[in-house]
Amino acid sequence: MAIKVQSNAFDAGEELDRFMTCHDGVGAVVNFVGIVRSNSDDEPVDKLVIEHYPGMTEASLQRIVDEAEKRWSLKNCLVIHRYGELSPGEAIMMVAVQTAHRQAAFEAANFLMDYLKSRAAFWKKEYRAGASEWVKSRHEDDVAAQKWQDENR
Amino acid sequence: MKPIEVLYFAWIRERIGHPKEQWTTKANTAAELVVELCQRGPEYQAAFRDLAAIRVAINQEMVPLDSPIKEGCEVAFFPPMTGG
């Protein structure tokens, strides 16, 4: 299991290559990479700036990974999330999981993404057309995260 | 009077004008701390105008606004997170 919070750009292909060193019993790998969109509300995006809370950000990611491990039998898990200034087309974050079977890998990756949206200590600010705006949290993201909690009851 | 550290993030930090500060408080809860900070000036009032849009963490763990504040703790205020 690895969690990386970094300002440096990363190569998702290289990261996935390294992650493909599989343990015994691994039958599935699911990988998701989030990219800075070049357009938002039909306007070109100049850049994205991501603020984080050193210490709490890592702790919040660890809690999310721990929760995923409780729910699925993960053979391995990787979470990378950047902070600082990012340009359109750059990778923001990446999750990858290894499990024995396909269904668990898809579900765990989906869960990690749903929780990362609303429970990892990051705040995005979007710069476009000479103005900047803090990205608002989306109600759909809260609902998506809540859905997993409700299922667990 | 309890010495604490207060941190601000995202637009809350921008409205207040600095990312963190040492503060000595009489507040017993995070909610009381907000009231106390708002008495310091309009920048704090602007930051804390809409309490529904504010989340709080004590010692780097998200807690409800009525949670107790202890001496030496780290209190952070921020908007809902937008990771991923």
Side-chain angles (χ1 to χ4, degrees):
Chain A
M1 311 285 163
I3 293 169
K4 300 184 201 174
V5 177
Q6 59 188 59
S7 61
N8 291 343
F10 64 90
D11 183 321
E14 279 176 19
E15 293 289 347
L16 183 61
D17 259 357
R18 270 197 289 277
F19 188 74
M20 290 303 291
T21 312
C22 292
H23 299 266
D24 286 348
V26 171
V29 172
V30 164
N31 168 225
F32 173 88
V33 181
I35 309 285
V36 182
R37 269 182 287 273
S38 58
N39 274 271
S40 177
D41 290 341
D42 292 330
E43 278 182 335
V45 171
D46 301 324
K47 64 176 178 179
L48 190 69
V49 173
I50 303 177
E51 186 166 326
H52 78 306
Y53 181 171
M56 182 169 171
T57 300
E58 289 81 354
S60 59
L61 291 175
Q62 187 63 57
R63 269 197 291 271
I64 294 168
V65 169
D66 289 347
E67 182 66 30
E69 285 189 291
K70 266 190 243 161
R71 290 167 182 246
W72 294 277
S73 180
L74 303 184
K75 305 283 187 187
N76 201 0
C77 173
L78 169 68
V79 177
I80 304 172
H81 203 302
R82 290 182 62 195
Y83 62 88
E85 204 173 302
L86 285 79
S87 300
E90 281 190 69
I92 302 173
M93 51 76 58
M94 160 171 179
V95 301
V97 293
Q98 294 179 355
T99 61
H101 299 283
R102 163 177 57 96
Q103 194 64 24
F106 274 112
E107 282 179 15
N110 209 10
F111 168 88
L112 288 167
M113 286 313 306
D114 281 344
Y115 266 41
L116 269 163
K117 282 276 167 197
S118 54
R119 299 179 188 206
F122 293 100
W123 299 274
K124 292 194 189 104
K125 192 177 195 183
E126 204 171 72
Y127 289 74
R128 53 188 156 114
S132 65
E133 194 179 4
W134 289 98
V135 174
K136 288 186 182 67
S137 64
R138 294 164 70 232
H139 179 62
E140 302 92 283
D141 293 336
D142 283 338
V143 171
Q146 190 63 41
K147 179 191 72 188
W148 293 103
Q149 253 186 349
D150 295 343
E151 273 178 19
N152 204 29
R153 267 179 207 149
Chain B
M1 298 293 274
K2 299 178 281 252
I4 58 168
E5 185 164 38
V6 193
L7 283 74
Y8 312 105
F9 292 93
W11 52 261
I12 297 171
R13 167 182 57 74
E14 288 179 339
R15 288 182 192 179
I16 287 171
H18 45 256
K20 64 166 135 180
E21 59 191 330
Q22 306 295 324
W23 179 243
T24 305
T25 183
K26 287 183 203 162
N28 292 310
T29 66
E32 286 178 27
L33 176 62
V34 169
V35 173
E36 192 182 77
L37 289 170
C38 283
Q39 289 165 356
R40 297 180 65 194
E43 68 274 31
Y44 288 90
Q45 289 159 21
F48 292 115
R49 191 171 292 138
D50 180 13
L51 280 184
I54 289 180
R55 304 288 177 269
V56 60
I58 296 179
N59 292 333
Q60 306 193 349
E61 193 160 340
M62 288 251 289
V63 293
L65 201 58
D66 60 1
S67 301
I69 284 176
K70 299 197 171 73
E71 185 172 329
C73 72
E74 178 177 300
V75 184
F77 294 102
F78 43 79
M81 298 160 176
T82 52

